[in-house]
Amino acid sequence: RKARKLTGMGRRLTGMGRTLKGRAFVPGQTLTYHLFVWCPAGSRRSVYIQSTLKRRPGYRTLERDLIQLQQQQLFQIFVVVSLRKCSSGNTYSPEITQQFPQMKSSRLSREAEDQLKVIPKFCFPDPQDWRPSAHMPSETFSFVLTSEDGSRWFCYCRKILPSGKGKRLPEVHCIVSKLGCFNLFAKILEEVERRREVSPALVYPFMRSVMEAPFPAPGRTVTVKSFLPGSGNEVLTLCRPVDSRLEHVDFNSLLQCLSVGKLLQVFASLLLERRVIFIADKLSVLSRCGHAALALLYPFTWQHTFVPVLPSSMLDISCSPTPFLIGVLAPCLPQLLELPIEEVLIVDLCEDKFVIQLGDEDCILPSKLQAALQQILEEREDILRQEDGDRYGADLSSLVSEGFVRFFVELVGHYPFHMVESSNGSREFQRDSFRKSHPSRGVRQFLQLFMDTQMFAGFIQDKELRKGGGRGLFEVRVAEYLESYPEPEPSGVNKFLKGLGKCYSFKHLKL
């Protein structure tokens, strides 16, 4: 009876999600859900879920975020999360034991206090890891906290085993920043670990030097000077890549975990704002693949729940009727499958398989554009070897990014022709003419679904509010595309590769 009750509740919540998805949001409106989920013990637990789509000027775009970050410091706070033995039994509980800079509770906002309280759970999301050990490899991972205004705080973590003899408990060093740049902070955390092995007292002076360092512009470097006993004065060089869109992205990890076919089905599900859950046995795999999957959506921005690593104590969040991308550690999969989750894609990153799927994932994308993307990704090594085999890692990110940007150019690149200026000077998007004008029937069918998503609505709204065009990679490629628009041939593999061929050579491909 309880199983039927939970399944029925899942259907009702799913239906509510469909209804809410089609609703129009007014400027600044925040939609809040209170879900009551039945726990195994029979007690009712309240799960608080908030979905926000702020209008003017709320749609988050990557270019806008990057501009706002230029005046930020490298990070806001650094904490050490340790495990403390509970009074009852041999269980452990994570808590913040060190913090830099030190701030009194009276000076913290309510939101900052809430974030500090939840950080320990994400640093140790799986209780099975909470045990003493004599040997444990260090691991770097990240998670994201979303503020009430929709802004995101990136939390970069490194789990280490403190130096010593015998079995010891691990601890996590966590840097909280508004800057999404995994490689930069991974380098800082490695230096923190080096100093922690010598003496914990060396960590704070080093982090003070990092905090005082200026925020580097894309392609620029900053240096941090510090002293390490035995090595003397050291200079740490921190660099941001030229293309700042990709500085938090590791496409290689995603392509190593998923075959191209499975990856494109995940991409299609995210485009339609479905619920997606990643499963892996490592925190680093979950965080890297989650960020990489959302980066494929550029120039569109995921507006919904994103939790790269969900603590086992918060699995109830997966019962939300709203779209999400969530990462769950493999030991929690049996518990997850017992929950009343409907219309979800569960992806096993370790086995390259779908645990649960809707069944239509391979039929969502326009067939010709999907075939072109698949050809680029499957032959990526040959393409990059032809370009410059010595720089595979950096060029892979660029190739994958350009490939998916080209997909969106072929899909919606004609949107400027359908922005009409009204008598009062405002710009208005002509939805019907935009969709019907595309020469490909498959694209028109896909647009009918895609145009109902929040990410598309927000993207168009951003274009309506802006008088001038953007300067991001997508707008540059759109301008190049419109120079030869319309072409007699509909969107297909040949046209796709020819457009991308301006950036890469495809002499070995059959066009």
Side-chain angles (χ1 to χ4, degrees), residues 427-483:
R427 304 176 74 198
E428 187 172 326
F429 179 62
Q430 306 297 310
R431 290 175 58 91
D432 289 342
S433 64
F434 164 78
R435 183 180 63 84
K436 294 177 181 178
S437 67
H438 203 288
S440 168
R441 179 183 177 186
V443 171
R444 292 196 301 270
Q445 291 175 339
F446 174 76
L447 286 176
Q448 194 163 4
L449 299 173
F450 183 55
M451 290 170 65
D452 287 335
T453 63
Q454 285 191 9
M455 71 173 79
F456 182 85
F459 171 82
I460 291 300
Q461 182 195 50
D462 183 66
K463 303 305 177 185
E464 288 176 335
L465 295 175
R466 290 192 183 192
K467 292 290 186 180
R471 293 180 296 175
L473 175 64
F474 176 73
E475 296 298 338
V476 172
R477 297 292 179 255
V478 165
E480 296 170 351
Y481 172 78
L482 295 181
E483 289 178 358

Side-chain angles (χ1 to χ4, degrees), residues 37 51 269 291 337 396 398 468 498:
V37 181
S51 177
S269 298
H291 286 289
L337 294 177
L396 176 66
S398 178
K498 289 176 182 177

Side-chain angles (χ1 to χ4, degrees), residues 39 141 145 238 497:
C39 298
F141 60 98
L145 298 177
L238 303 175
L497 296 178

